[in-house]
Each structure stands twice: as C-alpha cells, then as structure tokens.
Amino acid sequence: MKKTAIILLLAAATAAVFFYRADIFTKKGAIIKRTRFMMDTLCTIQVPNEAGVSKTEAAISRAFDRMAELDIKFNCTNPGSPLYKFNNARVPITDPEIVELVKRALEISRETGGAFDITVQPLVDLWGFFTTSASSQTVPSPQSIKLALSRTGWRRISVKNGAVIAADKDVRIDLGGIAKGYSIGEAVKVLKAAGVRSALILAGGQVQVFGSAAPGVPWKVGVRNPRKEGYIAGLAFDSETGISTSGDYERFFEVNGVRYHHILDPKTGYPARGLMSLSVITQDPVWADALSTALFVMGPQRALEFVKRQSGSEVIIVNAEGEIVTSQADKVR
Ligand code: AMP
Ligand code: MG
C-alpha cells in the first residue's frame, strides 16, 4: 500500500483549509455532498459529480440505506437485534454478518493482547456513557467496577458451527468499537456497485476514501485538535484508504477535574489513560476502527511500537500532555 504522508499543521490558519475541503480545489458543484444522522453521529458522503446529480444522489442514498440497516442490526440496545437477544437471553447469534464481525473482533483481541474487547458491554453500561446525560454521570464505585469486570473477557465468547456462543450467562457483546468501520466499508461497496469511481465517506471520527476528489486532486482530510477548534494534522488521500480517530473528547464527563471517557481499559475497568486522541491511517476501515480503540487503550508507547511492527498502518497520537507523536516523526510539541 502507498504510504500516506502526515503533514503536521501547527498553524491554525493552514489547518482550517485542510478539513474535507476537496471543494476548494475543485470546481463549484463538482462534488455532491449529502449528510444523514446515523450510528449516533453525523455521516457524510461526498462524490465527484461525474454521472449527474440524480444518479449520484441515488448511489449516495443507497449507501446511506445500507449503513442505516447495519446501524439497526449492530445496535445491542435494539430489542430486535440478534445482539440484544444474545446479551439478554443467551440466544446464539447466527446472522452471518454479525458472526463474521465477532470473529474478526476476537482475532483483534488476540492480536492486541486483549486491549480490544467487545465484551466490555457491562462496563460501558455501568459507566453510563450511552444511557445517562453527561451532567448526571458519576464515577462508579470500585466494587461495582470489580463486579462488571468479572463479567467481561473476550475468551468467554466463541464461534462454533457458524454461531456466536457464550461460555457463561454473564457475558455480553458491544460492537461499538468496530461496527462503524464495517458500516463504512459496506457503504464503499454499495457506491462502487453503483458505478461510483471515487468518494469520501465520513462517520463521526472515521473517514474512508477511494479515488480522488478530482483528476489529480487528492481528498484532503484533517485530524481534529482534541481540545480546541482546528486541526493538528492534514492528510492527502488519493488511493483507497482511511483514518479512524478514537478520542477522550467524544463522550466524557468530568469530576474534580478528572476526565472520564468512553474508551475503557478491559484490564482495569476504568477509562484508558495516557492519551487525548489516537488516529490510525490504514486501508481497511474495520481494522482502522478497531485498532484506533485498541491502541488508545494500549497507551502511546505500546501503540507506537505496535504500529511500527505493522506494514501499511500509520498512527497520529496526541498524548496526555498534548504532544503530537506520529509513526513518521517523533514528538513535535
Ligand atoms: P471508538 O470510538 O471507535 O474508539 O469506540 C469506542 C466504543 O467502543 C465505546 O463507546 C464502547 O462502545 C466500545 N469500547 C470501549 N472500550 C472498548 C474496548 N477496550 N474494546 C472494544 N470496544 C470498546
Ligand atoms: Mg474504534
């Protein structure tokens, strides 16, 4: 895979130009951009207008519909979903799409030494990032964290004869750290099947592109500053690739000046420490999504070591001190 150059943007003025502003570099109206709220976040698809507005809009619409379908299927709080039935009534999951994604998640758990763990659901539930408003959130007691931890562990689920099964009655699955990447990958497939030759798909903190914004003009993507308006890095993508960012600013609350956020360390049961944000640049959106969550849990040092051992992935880290470190350059501020 072609290596993506990470351009660090230390001046806010230049940074602003970078963020998804493919339109700046192309003719007005040359890019068709549509947005829908899904997966609890804003999703945007941009496609260069090669095939005419109505044809392009129809393709974008089909891609969004596919993402919406997956949003319902992968949502463990939806009583109709196989995940809900598994979590609440131990019904083995046989939906091939979920089975495959769970399999992949378990492989990633193994590769990341358990930093990525889809059985963190009891902890996610306990911390209440998705059920309580930020203002009413409290830090759970050490005893309740211990209890929730005793109900987690990726080795307690397995895939046998095409079904996801639980080793005991307590284990529960949350695909929140990987489903968005899968959904984006499916949107790419739908767009390509509709004849689209290049697109940019954005869902919350994740972007995937293929093709280019215009002939010879790459898609431009910015990496958000985790603490204020503006961007810390810019990327120019002109081949099939993407970026996923996990950050402590997405869902959090503060108590006595301490920030508690939604990326949980499966070993401690508390929010992972040591980072403000971590972005993974790689070709496969599923890998990008899961890896950004996993590396966030691992912390800056282990994350860098992990990525440097890999080929085809880059990482941009903002550590707890606000310093930027990338797999291409050492600490820059
Ligand atoms: P992301 O924003 O992609 O980093 O994913 C965070 C979401 O993944 C959280 O909202 C949880 O639903 C789930 N999650 C939290 N911690 C973990 C973890 N250690 N492994 C897998 N999923 C997690
Ligand atoms: Mg993720």
Side-chain angles (χ1 to χ4, degrees):
M1 198 189 93
K2 207 167 114 187
K3 193 167 165 157
T4 303
I6 302 167
I7 303 159
L8 294 168
L9 302 170
L10 303 175
T14 45
V17 183
F18 249 91
F19 197 54
Y20 313 128
R21 297 303 299 275
D23 45 334
I24 288 180
F25 304 93
T26 53
K27 275 207 316 285
K28 202 169 176 337
I31 302 251
I32 296 177
K33 178 177 171 180
R34 295 290 175 266
T35 298
R36 259 200 227 177
F37 191 83
M38 275 183 297
M39 300 186 290
D40 229 6
T41 189
L42 272 185
C43 300
T44 299
I45 298 181
Q46 297 187 38
V47 174
N49 182 12
E50 288 181 328
V53 177
S54 62
K55 215 169 159 208
T56 306
E57 274 185 337
I60 293 176
S61 208
R62 244 174 281 156
F64 275 146
D65 290 348
R66 175 74 176 124
M67 290 170 92
E69 178 194 326
L70 292 170
D71 189 15
I72 295 169
K73 190 193 265 201
F74 288 124
N75 187 345
C76 65
T77 62
N78 158 28
S81 85
L83 284 168
Y84 185 93
K85 290 175 188 155
F86 176 90
N87 286 350
N88 294 287
R90 304 294 113 210
V91 179
I93 300 170
T94 53
D95 179 295
E97 217 169 15
I98 305 181
V99 173
E100 278 313 304
L101 198 59
V102 167
K103 253 194 200 165
R104 185 81 197 274
L106 294 177
E107 280 163 22
I108 296 172
S109 295
R110 199 177 307 271
E111 283 172 65
T112 60
F116 189 76
D117 189 340
I118 55 170
T119 68
V120 291
Q121 203 279 339
L123 286 164
V124 175
D125 204 29
L126 177 69
W127 281 91
F129 290 107
F130 296 91
T131 47
T132 328
S133 69
S135 58
S136 58
Q137 277 170 327
T138 52
V139 179
S141 69
Q143 294 90 318
S144 57
I145 289 179
K146 217 171 145 193
L147 182 67
L149 262 181
S150 75
R151 300 173 61 198
T152 66
W154 61 275
R155 291 177 197 279
R156 294 156 72 166
I157 49 176
S158 54
V159 177
K160 288 213 173 74
N161 303 324
V164 179
I165 50 171
D168 57 70
K169 67 172 181 38
D170 285 334
V171 72
R172 297 166 82 94
I173 295 175
D174 169 13
L175 293 175
I178 192 169
K180 197 192 287 167
Y182 181 78
S183 172
I184 290 174
E186 287 302 294
V188 168
K189 283 189 200 161
V190 172
L191 291 170
K192 285 184 175 172
V196 170
R197 293 190 305 170
S198 60
L200 180 150
I201 298 147
L202 159 74
Q206 187 163 0
V207 178
Q208 185 75 13
V209 310
F210 62 96
S212 55
V217 182
W219 294 105
K220 303 265 198 312
V221 174
V223 180
R224 244 192 88 157
N225 185 314
R227 287 295 179 270
K228 54 181 194 223
E229 287 289 304
Y231 305 95
I232 56 155
L235 306 158
F237 290 151
D238 59 1
S239 59
E240 185 150 354
T241 193
I243 178 166
S244 166
T245 300
S246 290
D248 71 354
Y249 53 86
E250 289 172 57
R251 283 174 191 277
F252 70 95
F253 62 94
E254 282 182 346
V255 176
N256 299 329
V258 180
R259 181 180 289 235
Y260 297 91
H261 60 84
H262 71 312
I263 303 165
L264 301 168
D265 184 339
K267 289 204 166 66
T268 64
Y270 284 82
R273 294 287 169 215
L275 287 166
M276 292 181 185
S277 83
L278 183 145
S279 306
V280 173
I281 302 155
T282 199
Q283 189 169 15
D284 172 9
V286 175
W287 181 228
D289 189 6
L291 199 57
S292 65
T293 309
L295 295 181
F296 194 106
V297 171
M298 286 186 189
Q301 204 53 45
R302 282 178 62 212
L304 265 186
E305 285 162 14
F306 187 97
V307 167
K308 284 186 174 172
R309 279 198 306 272
Q310 298 253 316
S311 64
S313 301
E314 301 288 347
V315 72
I316 305 170
I317 290 169
V318 183
N319 68 19
E321 285 71 48
E323 295 161 333
I324 306 167
V325 186
T326 80
S327 43
Q328 291 175 3
D330 287 334
K331 219 177 269 186
V332 289
R333 79 171 167 193

